[in-house]
Amino acid sequence: GEDVEQSLFLSVREGDSSVINCTYTDSSSTYLYWYKQEPGAGLQLLTYIFSNMDMKQDQRLTVLLNKKDKHLSLRIADTQTGDSAIYFCAESIPGNKLVFGAGTILRVKS
Amino acid sequence: DAGVIQSPRHEVTEMGQEVTLRCKPISGHNSLFWYRQTMMRGLELLIYFNNNVPIDDSGMPEDRFSAKMPNASFSTLKIQPSEPRDSAVYFCASSAQGLYGYTFGSGTRLTVV
């Protein structure tokens, strides 16, 4: 079945780059997503990438997709304390459904 | 648009009581999803609807859980009777075919004592 895996925790210093990694299983996924969840809030769509793209950049965010290895990463440049949150990777599957990973807790130390 | 609206934000109830969680999706979105989030199990899809019709309820943990979507602008998730292990944050999300990703509500934090 479909599965999305992420590392559970990442700690970086303010100003450094953060890289959060994700692997997925469904090779037919059309879109892959990154969501951010701040404490006490719902999941907020950060960015997405279409499966025929290798890279997408959006301000401080860079998404890299290796479709052969089914590997997705999210790079946050110049990480700020406000970036501390849980980051979820998700893959689209037929039926307009998303399969989410368990989330990566990003802790930014000032 | 006000986004996906969930109520209540917090609910504390005693074991055995009935609990009803409410969701108003974004106008024009034709898919609605109920998720449960706990520390132990992460984010679990409970049930989802397309055009008000339940499509997949395989994630509903037990018969104590039921969900309805009587019209395109309203859905409920009911737990009867509630148990302490049902304590979690319950999220509703909606999406439209052809648009990207889901929009999540702020969640209902349920505590069953």
Side-chain angles (χ1 to χ4, degrees), chain A residues 3-4 22-35 45-54 56 63-67 70-73 88-93 97-100, chain B residues 100-101:
Chain A
D3 193 21
V4 176
C22 166
T23 57
Y24 61 97
T25 56
D26 193 332
S27 57
S28 67
S29 292
T30 307
Y31 291 96
L32 295 126
Y33 303 86
W34 285 104
Y35 281 81
L45 179 63
L46 262 186
T47 187
Y48 63 91
I49 187 168
F50 190 49
S51 59
N52 68 355
M53 297 170 65
D54 298 324
K56 180 178 180 181
V63 179
L64 294 178
L65 175 60
N66 182 329
K67 200 171 178 184
K70 299 192 187 69
H71 182 266
L72 184 73
S73 68
F88 291 88
C89 170
E91 63 170 342
S92 63
I93 62 174
K97 288 172 64 174
L98 297 185
V99 176
F100 287 87
Chain B
Y100 310 120

Side-chain angles (χ1 to χ4, degrees), chain A residues 31 35 37 48 96-98, chain B residues 31 37 48 56 95 100-102:
Chain A
Y31 291 96
Y35 281 81
Q37 184 181 30
Y48 63 91
N96 192 31
K97 288 172 64 174
L98 297 185
Chain B
S31 296
Q37 185 179 38
Y48 80 98
D56 183 355
S95 75
Y100 310 120
Y102 300 170

Side-chain angles (χ1 to χ4, degrees), chain B residues 65-81:
Chain B
F65 286 69
S66 63
K68 293 182 180 178
M69 192 164 185
N71 57 61
S73 58
F74 184 65
S75 177
T76 59
L77 178 68
K78 185 180 293 186
I79 309 172
Q80 164 65 16

